[in-house]
């Protein structure tokens, strides 16, 4: 399996976990209802409509179910039987996680112009690569990887120069 596929799958699972947790913050739900609920970030579209409209990912109930099991295993949700169907609801740990997610989302949309510029540049890099993915060959991808790894090293170096420990997530 390629690194690109692994990263893509991780991003999708992480995003889907976020969407499912956000949906369950509204109220306990059945599996089918989870995929058709509104997001906490104020969207008027459900998970399936939002991801389809943005063109990135179209989760099915079959892909949401393993996420629910994982969230239950991690202690974020509980699964109960009601009328012969499973209903999913947040635990206290899940509620806390949703609050953490809200804070992270708010920090992404900071009003600080310097932080906003950094976030915008990073987002635009990812979006540009995504939009042009069919035009980019392996040679260009390898060059992008090399350049981005150098950039990451510079970011880590800048943070360390301030006496801070860098935290990375892959």
């Amino acid at each position: 399996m390629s690194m690109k596929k692994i990263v893509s799958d991780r991003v999708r699972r992480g995003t889907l976990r976020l969407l499912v947790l956000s949906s369950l913050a509204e109220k306990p739900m059945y599996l089918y209802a989870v995929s058709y609920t509104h997001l906490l970030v104020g969207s008027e579209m459900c998970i399936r409509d939002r991801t389809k409209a943005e063109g990135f990912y179209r989760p099915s109930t079959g892909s949401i179910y393993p996420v629910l099991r994982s969230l239950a295993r991690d202690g974020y949700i509980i699964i109960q039987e009601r009328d012969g169907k499973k209903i999913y609801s947040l635990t206290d740990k899940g509620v806390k996680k949703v609050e953490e997610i809200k804070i992270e989302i708010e920090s992404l949309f900071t009003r600080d112009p310097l932080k906003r510029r950094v976030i915008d540049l990073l987002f635009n890099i990812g979006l540009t690569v995504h939009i042009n993915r069919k035009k980019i060959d392996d040679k260009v991808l390898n060059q992008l990887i090399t350049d981005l790894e150098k950039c990451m090293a510079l970011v880590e170096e800048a943070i360390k120069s301030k006496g801070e420990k860098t935290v990375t997530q892959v």
Side-chain angles (χ1 to χ4, degrees):
M1 183 178 293
S2 71
M3 181 56 97
K4 182 176 155 185
K5 174 82 169 128
I6 291 169
V7 171
S8 175
D9 287 349
R10 279 186 169 179
V11 169
R12 286 181 177 156
R13 277 194 309 268
T15 301
L16 194 51
R17 281 175 64 95
L18 168 101
L19 295 173
V20 169
L21 281 170
S22 296
S23 296
L24 290 174
E26 294 178 20
K27 63 183 179 184
M29 298 179 200
Y30 299 106
L31 171 65
Y32 185 78
V34 170
S35 65
Y36 284 96
T37 57
H38 300 287
L39 305 178
L40 286 179
V41 292
S43 170
E44 290 303 317
M45 293 184 277
C46 69
I47 292 174
R48 295 176 103 193
D49 291 341
R50 180 178 173 90
T51 52
K52 182 178 179 183
E54 292 174 359
F56 294 114
Y57 182 47
R58 294 174 188 93
S60 65
T61 53
S63 60
I64 292 173
Y65 184 70
V67 171
L68 288 166
R69 281 195 324 249
S70 171
L71 290 169
R73 187 177 53 248
D74 294 342
Y76 295 120
I77 66 171
I78 57 171
I79 305 169
Q80 298 171 314
E81 291 278 334
R82 188 180 297 165
D83 300 326
K85 295 181 182 177
K86 293 180 181 176
I87 190 161
Y88 304 87
S89 56
L90 292 179
T91 62
D92 289 341
K93 182 179 177 181
V95 170
K96 193 180 244 184
K97 184 66 174 176
V98 169
E99 291 304 316
E100 290 171 11
I101 291 167
K102 281 185 192 177
I103 291 168
E104 287 177 29
I105 289 171
E106 287 170 8
S107 73
L108 285 175
F109 299 102
T110 179
R111 293 193 191 327
D112 181 307
L114 290 175
K115 290 178 183 175
R116 179 76 256 149
R117 181 71 179 134
V118 169
I119 291 166
D120 287 347
L121 284 168
L122 293 170
F123 177 79
N124 286 331
I125 289 169
L127 186 60
T128 301
V129 170
H130 176 75
I131 289 170
N132 294 287
R133 67 191 178 278
K134 293 181 180 174
K135 302 175 195 173
I136 301 173
D137 62 17
D138 286 350
K139 182 179 178 186
V140 173
L141 283 174
N142 283 322
Q143 185 61 52
L144 288 172
I145 290 168
T146 299
D147 293 344
L148 289 170
E149 286 173 342
K150 287 177 187 174
C151 181
M152 184 63 192
L154 291 170
V155 168
E156 289 175 336
E157 186 178 311
I159 293 169
K160 286 178 185 173
S161 73
K162 296 294 179 190
E164 298 290 328
K165 181 181 177 191
T166 57
V167 177
T168 59
Q169 187 175 6
V170 176

